[in-house]
């Protein structure tokens, strides 16, 4: 479990509180009334509910699959894991319960949160889906790694053996929808979250297609260079193929694009940005993620357990601000609701 909290200035923003500090501190009954308090994701969730006149203990989750944000790109090195982990952490600090699924055998998301996949015993999403497909016994709860208290941020981790998923998916009927069937079969478990975030592998394979066919909108993370622009074209083609193949059953997949790695003094960045704007004007997020050293300091090379998102490690940095602003926009883009409540 990670011991992460933010100070009052950020906490007020996450809660959406416009009043003074004494009134803000009064929202938290269990906190000492001190100026230098830190506030956890659970504190912020309860404060938001309290301001809306909702008793957290009386809430019952609506039984449905929450919005799915599937971070994807057709090449590696675009920063999709940074965006996935950063947005998940920020969503949690806005009070939403978040389940992350590391869908990449490289396990970068797993490592970002300080888990050494090479030494730990991990049950990944491929193993859970396989057991479900073969009607075997499995426990999602045992596979989940709780990161923030009270399931505010949970992770189904990954390791290199996830690469074997395609070998058994090949023999599954209607395999493109195997992940969706897994979600539906465990709907009560997934309903306790407000949003699911998937860090998909860059390769186009049966597992990544299955993740794509379970959601309504891909979050494409594009690094601002020529190779990533070409990869975006490949991803768009992949999306079109899936839409054409399953249009008859009412399936339609859209794309929302985040431009990453912008530096105002780099000519290729500006050229790539212009190309994105002209090529995908209605699919591009208004927030552009800067090229920032803070992102490079997220992963510790020699003490993996100390790794963490930029919001955890450098919450007052420009990089963290860009992730917070992006997260605000994605709440609206993906219609994420606190406890399924349209009012908050």
């Amino acid at each position: 479990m990670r011991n992460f909290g933010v100070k009052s200035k950020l906490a007020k923003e996450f809660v959406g509180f416009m009043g003074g500090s004494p009134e803000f501190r009064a929202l938290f009954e269990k906190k000492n009334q001190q100026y230098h308090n830190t506030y956890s994701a659970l504190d912020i969730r309860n404060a938001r509910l309290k301001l809306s006149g909702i008793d957290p203990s009386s809430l019952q989750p609506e039984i449905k699959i929450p919005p799915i944000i599937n971070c994807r790109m057709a090449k590696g090195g675009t920063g999709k894991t940074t965006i996935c982990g950063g947005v998940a952490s920020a969503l949690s600090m806005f009070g939403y319960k978040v389940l992350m699924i590391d869908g990449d055998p490289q396990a970068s998301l797993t490592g970002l949160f300080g888990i050494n996949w090479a030494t730990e015993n991990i049950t990944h999403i491929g193993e859970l889906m396989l057991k479900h497909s073969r009607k075997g016994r499995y426990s999602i709860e045992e596979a989940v790694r709780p990161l923030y208290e009270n399931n505010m941020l949970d992770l189904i981790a990954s390791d290199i053996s996830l690469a074997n998923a395609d070998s058994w998916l090949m023999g599954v009927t209607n395999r493109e929808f195997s992940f969706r069937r897994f979600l539906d079969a465990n709907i009560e478990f997934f309903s306790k979250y407000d949003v699911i975030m998937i860090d998909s592998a860059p390769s186009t394979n049966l597992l990544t297609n299955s993740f794509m066919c379970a959601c309504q909108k891909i979050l494409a993370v594009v690094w601002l260079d020529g190779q990533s622009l070409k990869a975006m074209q490949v991803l768009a083609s992949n999306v079109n193929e899936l839409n054409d193949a399953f249009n008859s059953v009412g399936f339609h997949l859209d794309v929302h694009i985040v431009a990453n790695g912008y530096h105002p003094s780099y000519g290729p960045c500006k050229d790539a940005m212009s190309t994105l704007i002209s090529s995908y004007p209605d699919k591009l997020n208004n927030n552009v993620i800067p090229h920032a050293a803070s992102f490079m300091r997220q992963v510790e090379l020699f003490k993996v357990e100390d790794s963490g998102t930029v919001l955890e490690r450098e919450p007052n940095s420009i990089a963290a601000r860009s992730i917070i602003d992006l997260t605000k926009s994605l709440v609206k883009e993906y219609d994420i609701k606190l406890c399924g409540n349209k009012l908050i």
Side-chain angles (χ1 to χ4, degrees):
M1 193 79 69
R2 303 171 75 82
N3 183 22
F4 173 53
V6 295
K7 294 182 179 179
S8 60
K9 182 179 179 180
L10 264 183
K12 284 183 180 180
E13 179 178 355
F14 289 137
V15 172
F17 186 81
M18 304 298 291
S21 295
E23 293 84 1
F24 181 69
R25 291 194 294 271
L27 288 172
F28 307 92
E29 297 175 359
K30 295 182 180 180
K31 290 283 183 184
N32 295 323
Q33 300 303 304
Q34 298 177 2
Y35 181 77
H36 296 292
N37 276 335
T38 58
Y39 301 88
S40 70
L42 182 59
D43 290 332
I44 290 166
R45 179 182 182 86
N46 288 338
R48 289 188 63 187
L49 292 171
K50 186 174 182 179
L51 285 173
S52 301
I54 298 173
D55 180 3
S57 64
S58 68
L59 284 171
Q60 293 295 328
E62 187 177 356
I63 305 301
K64 68 174 185 179
I65 301 300
I68 298 172
I69 302 179
N70 183 359
C71 297
R72 181 82 214 283
M73 183 38 61
K75 73 176 290 294
T78 65
K80 71 176 173 54
T81 298
T82 287
I83 299 301
C84 183
V87 168
S89 181
L91 280 170
S92 182
M93 295 309 297
F94 273 108
Y96 300 102
K97 286 197 171 186
V98 183
L99 174 65
M100 297 184 296
I101 298 175
D102 193 342
D104 189 341
Q106 294 184 15
S108 298
L109 185 65
T110 298
L112 179 61
F113 285 93
I115 299 170
N116 189 342
W117 61 265
T119 60
E120 295 198 29
N121 184 22
I122 286 172
T123 300
H124 54 62
I125 191 65
E127 185 176 342
L128 294 172
M129 289 170 61
L130 172 60
K131 290 181 178 178
H132 168 71
S133 176
R134 295 181 177 175
K135 304 188 185 307
R137 296 180 62 183
Y138 61 91
S139 171
I140 306 177
E141 289 83 354
E142 292 180 3
V144 165
R145 304 293 183 103
L147 300 176
Y148 297 172
E149 64 174 326
N150 203 43
N151 303 111
M152 289 302 299
L153 183 63
D154 287 348
L155 169 67
I156 297 178
S158 176
D159 63 23
I160 192 64
S161 65
L162 181 60
N164 298 326
D166 272 27
S167 62
W168 64 266
L169 277 170
M170 185 68 70
V172 174
T173 302
N174 204 17
R175 54 182 173 258
E176 288 84 2
F177 293 94
S178 57
F179 181 60
R180 183 71 207 196
R181 291 195 297 272
F182 174 76
L183 294 174
D184 290 339
N186 297 280
I187 191 168
E188 290 193 7
F189 172 82
F190 292 109
S191 292
K192 70 182 182 181
Y193 298 98
D194 298 310
V195 58
I196 297 171
M197 296 205 64
I198 304 172
D199 186 27
S200 286
S203 58
T204 299
N205 54 40
L206 298 180
L207 184 61
T208 55
N209 279 348
S210 183
F211 289 149
M212 293 173 75
C213 287
C215 59
Q216 297 179 338
K217 190 179 295 183
I218 296 296
L219 185 64
V221 181
V222 180
W223 192 259
L224 292 172
D225 66 1
Q227 292 300 318
S228 293
L229 292 179
K230 292 178 181 177
M232 183 62 230
Q233 294 175 345
V234 173
L235 178 60
S237 177
N238 186 198
V239 169
N240 290 335
E241 288 174 1
L242 291 174
N243 285 336
D244 290 342
F246 301 112
N247 179 63
S248 61
V249 296
F251 175 79
H252 180 76
L253 182 62
D254 205 348
V255 175
H256 188 66
I257 300 172
V258 175
N260 190 22
Y262 182 77
H263 195 297
S265 66
Y266 293 172
C269 279
K270 293 187 283 188
D271 293 342
M273 193 72 226
S274 297
T275 301
L276 276 180
I277 292 171
S278 60
S279 300
Y280 309 97
D282 59 338
K283 300 185 183 300
L284 191 62
N285 193 281
N286 290 330
N287 296 278
V288 178
I289 308 301
H291 190 290
S294 297
F295 289 125
M296 300 181 67
R297 292 192 288 267
Q298 293 180 118
V299 177
E300 291 286 346
L301 295 178
F302 303 108
K303 292 187 68 177
V304 175
E305 64 275 12
D306 290 341
S307 299
T309 66
V310 70
L311 182 61
E312 292 179 334
R313 293 169 65 87
E314 300 180 28
N316 297 315
S317 64
I318 293 174
R321 170 46 53 188
S322 70
I323 292 294
I324 292 169
D325 291 342
L326 173 63
T327 301
K328 290 179 180 178
S329 71
L330 294 179
V331 168
K332 296 179 180 179
E333 184 72 30
Y334 284 84
D335 195 24
I336 302 168
K337 301 180 179 69
L338 197 67
C339 309
N341 194 311
K342 295 183 180 180
L343 301 178
I344 51 178

